[in-house]
Amino acid sequence: MPRSFAANIGGNARQRTVLFFVIGIVAGIIVVKVKLQLNNDWRPSSDDGKWSIRPVMKRLTQLGQNEISQHLSKIRILCWIMTYPSNLNKSAIHVRNTWAKRCTKTLYMSSENTAFPTIAVVDHLEGRKYLWPKCRGAHQYVYDHHVDDFDWFLKADDDTYVIMENLRMLVAQYDPNKPFHLGRRLKYKETERSFMSGGAGYVLSREALKILVEEAFQSPEKCTPITVVEEQEDVNVARCLWNFGVMPIDALIGGRESFHCFAPPIVLQPDAFPREHWYARHSYHPLKRGPECCSEYSISFHYVDGYWMYMLEYMIYHMRPFGVGYYDCPDNIMSIVGKPT
């Protein structure tokens, strides 16, 4: 392991903490698969907008790949990745080689059309100050070409790592034909408003994307025009949706955050983020530190470099603790999937 990589983890104690956390995610993935391996289909609710699972379930002792694939394929997620021409072989390639393969479809949005492939959604120079025009152009492209082909639309950066199985578990609770905006919720300045972190990634239901493009983008007084140079793309998306009645929704799982603005070695540190740090000040919910920071069904991490992309990929999908691999449904399976016991 390169010295710089080991140094980033910060010593043996931190290595063990990260290792145990990732092993926890491995176990979480397996339990998620158990949840999805059910005897009945997902059924939409008629009242509260959430999707639920029909109450008759089988207690399973083994999982079949065909059954898992069948259930996962029912939730169609288009992932679009914000990237740059200079980042394709430094960052985007690692996304393509790892988690993006589990999206139903993946698009890479840039300022140039390339053989990577990338799609040009802006025609000007790259840079942080152009993030809003680029993000808005990407949402417009996805709407124009794919709005009716998918249920959910995930925006992520080229240094974001996403555990798609856990994302599918989250969105399976909601009807994509109703407007939902899910992700890591942050406070907007000193107001009661909130927005979803762009770096941690956020997901829009099909109906939310329609409202964003068909209504918000057509109203320059309520939604920042594409011609405005602005770097706060995540705040602007939230503002456009606020003004048309689509509010951010918590993605807490088990009372803990599932989308994360930093990589595992950072968020797992017990002394990370002092009170004056922007992350602590702007977190919508009180910030938890150490292993309590994160749900065992965590969905995303930001600022993940190439080393960590492959580390997470291996430890989540390839490494298995001896004796672990098949589970009975947990006793509280009904409450986990949102049904009364």
Side-chain angles (χ1 to χ4, degrees):
M1 182 184 296
R3 288 180 59 84
S4 60
F5 181 48
N8 284 338
I9 298 177
N12 291 334
R14 194 175 301 163
Q15 282 180 318
R16 288 194 297 271
T17 301
V18 172
L19 177 63
F20 294 151
F21 177 73
V22 176
I23 289 174
I25 291 181
V26 172
I29 289 287
I30 296 170
V31 175
V32 170
K33 289 180 177 180
V34 171
K35 294 178 192 176
L36 292 173
Q37 171 52 34
L38 302 171
N39 192 39
N40 292 281
D41 293 335
W42 298 95
R43 300 287 181 178
S45 165
S46 61
D47 50 1
D48 62 0
K50 287 192 174 184
W51 284 29
S52 58
I53 300 172
R54 297 173 74 181
V56 179
M57 303 177 183
K58 285 185 176 180
R59 184 174 288 272
L60 304 173
T61 57
Q62 286 192 337
L63 298 174
Q65 290 293 327
N66 290 337
E67 289 82 3
I68 294 170
S69 298
Q70 179 183 359
H71 285 289
L72 293 178
S73 66
K74 293 178 184 294
I75 303 174
R76 304 171 299 168
I77 302 179
L78 182 147
C79 305
W80 67 264
I81 314 300
M82 186 96 81
T83 190
Y84 305 87
S86 61
N87 270 17
L88 296 182
N89 292 319
K90 292 191 300 184
S91 299
I93 191 171
H94 307 308
V95 171
R96 189 178 69 182
N97 290 343
T98 57
W99 67 267
K101 295 182 290 186
R102 299 178 191 94
C103 302
T104 312
K105 185 178 183 65
T106 308
L107 303 175
Y108 297 87
M109 304 303 194
S110 182
S111 58
E112 297 178 3
N113 293 309
T114 71
F116 183 79
T118 56
I119 299 167
V121 293
V122 289
D123 58 1
H124 50 61
L125 297 176
E126 293 277 14
R128 285 195 60 82
K129 67 179 182 179
Y130 298 113
L131 284 178
W132 167 241
K134 187 175 179 181
C135 179
R136 177 165 166 158
H139 283 300
Q140 183 71 55
Y141 181 93
V142 168
Y143 171 86
D144 289 343
H145 295 86
H146 299 291
V147 68
D148 293 321
D149 300 328
F150 299 93
D151 306 308
W152 297 89
F153 302 86
L154 171 71
K155 180 269 174 185
D157 287 349
D158 59 11
D159 59 350
T160 307
Y161 187 92
V162 180
I163 302 165
M164 292 300 297
E165 291 86 349
N166 289 350
L167 177 60
R168 285 187 165 94
M169 180 190 72
L170 175 70
V171 300
Q173 302 175 69
Y174 301 93
D175 183 349
N177 294 309
K178 296 184 178 181
F180 296 107
H181 181 200
L182 300 158
R184 178 53 182 262
R185 199 171 180 186
L186 299 174
K187 296 176 184 176
Y188 178 63
K189 297 181 178 179
E190 302 303 323
T191 71
E192 293 300 315
R193 297 286 194 180
S194 60
F195 66 97
M196 298 305 183
S197 165
Y202 56 80
V203 63
L204 298 178
S205 65
R206 179 171 50 246
E207 182 63 18
L209 179 63
K210 287 182 177 181
I211 291 172
L212 181 66
V213 176
E214 295 175 2
E215 300 183 41
F217 285 1
Q218 311 310 314
S219 179
E221 70 278 5
K222 294 183 178 181
C223 183
T224 307
I226 195 170
T227 53
V228 174
V229 175
E230 167 66 66
E231 70 175 69
Q232 292 185 309
E233 51 89 8
D234 44 10
V235 173
N236 275 300
V237 166
R239 184 186 296 121
C240 294
L241 290 169
W242 297 338
N243 289 329
F244 289 87
V246 183
M247 305 305 292
I249 295 178
D250 280 324
L252 298 177
I253 301 177
R256 291 184 285 178
E257 301 286 359
S258 59
F259 289 78
H260 308 291
C261 298
F262 294 90
I266 305 299
V267 297
L268 288 169
Q269 295 181 37
D271 56 350
F273 313 116
R275 290 182 180 179
E276 63 273 14
H277 193 281
W278 72 264
Y279 194 41
R281 290 187 292 107
H282 290 281
S283 182
Y284 192 82
H285 299 285
L287 198 61
K288 297 179 181 179
R289 295 164 177 83
E292 290 298 310
C293 71
C294 312
S295 169
E296 62 184 346
Y297 301 112
S298 284
I299 291 169
S300 73
F301 296 93
H302 190 212
Y303 295 124
V304 179
D305 63 18
Y307 287 119
W308 267 105
M309 288 275 177
Y310 297 110
M311 173 70 82
L312 289 170
E313 186 77 3
Y314 171 73
M315 297 191 76
I316 294 173
Y317 295 99
H318 300 283
M319 193 185 82
R320 291 289 182 267
F322 180 75
V324 176
Y326 298 108
Y327 284 85
D328 287 344
C329 285
D331 292 336
N332 63 335
I333 184 66
M334 299 302 287
S335 62
I336 288 176
V337 298
K339 300 292 291 185
T341 56

